[in-house]
Amino acid sequence: QREAACARQALQLREMGRRERLLRADLGHAKKQLESFKSQVLRVCSPAAAAVAGTAVTEQQVIEKVRQISEECRQSHEREKCLQEELSSRLSKEEEVSKNVAVFQKSLRELQ
């Protein structure tokens, strides 16, 4: 009975060791993916900075660059919205002027 318990424990230890090796391998793979992702983001965000050989890119630099791009995108959307509103306003004014011109032309024809 004692031998069976020892055998079970040995089996459990081997299984735990196997799982630990798998987890370490997964962790290493995840780290490589993260580094690759950071490099890709930086290459897209700032090609000049990514081209500098031997430059280590920190996560904070990548985060700041993404924030900067996000803020620029937000500002562009706000500007687009303002321009759309301005265009809509000008179209409404143009429509009103066209109606007034039509009324004026009709009045001129009636006077002639």
Side-chain angles (χ1 to χ4, degrees), residues 41-82:
V41 169
L42 191 66
R43 208 171 20 252
V44 169
C45 296
S46 182
V52 177
T55 302
V57 178
T58 66
E59 289 180 26
Q60 192 59 38
Q61 287 173 309
V62 173
I63 290 168
E64 286 305 316
K65 192 64 179 177
V66 170
R67 279 189 186 137
Q68 176 189 350
I69 291 171
S70 178
E71 178 61 20
E72 290 170 1
C73 184
R74 187 191 62 75
Q75 289 173 358
S76 292
H77 283 299
E78 285 181 11
R79 179 79 175 126
E80 180 184 0
K81 184 180 174 184
C82 288

Side-chain angles (χ1 to χ4, degrees), residues 10-97:
L11 207 68
Q12 287 174 343
L13 282 173
R14 277 196 298 267
E15 179 61 19
M16 287 172 62
R18 187 184 73 80
R19 287 182 184 173
E20 183 181 359
R21 284 189 302 278
L22 288 174
L23 288 172
R24 286 183 190 274
D26 286 347
L27 178 62
H29 183 68
K31 283 181 180 179
K32 286 179 185 175
Q33 283 183 317
L34 175 61
E35 288 304 316
S36 173
F37 177 71
K38 282 177 14 182
S39 296
Q40 289 175 14
V41 169
L42 191 66
R43 208 171 20 252
V44 169
C45 296
S46 182
V52 177
T55 302
V57 178
T58 66
E59 289 180 26
Q60 192 59 38
Q61 287 173 309
V62 173
I63 290 168
E64 286 305 316
K65 192 64 179 177
V66 170
R67 279 189 186 137
Q68 176 189 350
I69 291 171
S70 178
E71 178 61 20
E72 290 170 1
C73 184
R74 187 191 62 75
Q75 289 173 358
S76 292
H77 283 299
E78 285 181 11
R79 179 79 175 126
E80 180 184 0
K81 184 180 174 184
C82 288
L83 290 172
Q84 194 68 37
E85 289 171 358
E86 185 180 329
L87 177 63
S88 179
S89 173
R90 287 185 182 192
L91 287 174
S92 294
K93 286 177 184 175
E94 186 179 314
E95 192 175 309
E96 186 180 333
V97 168

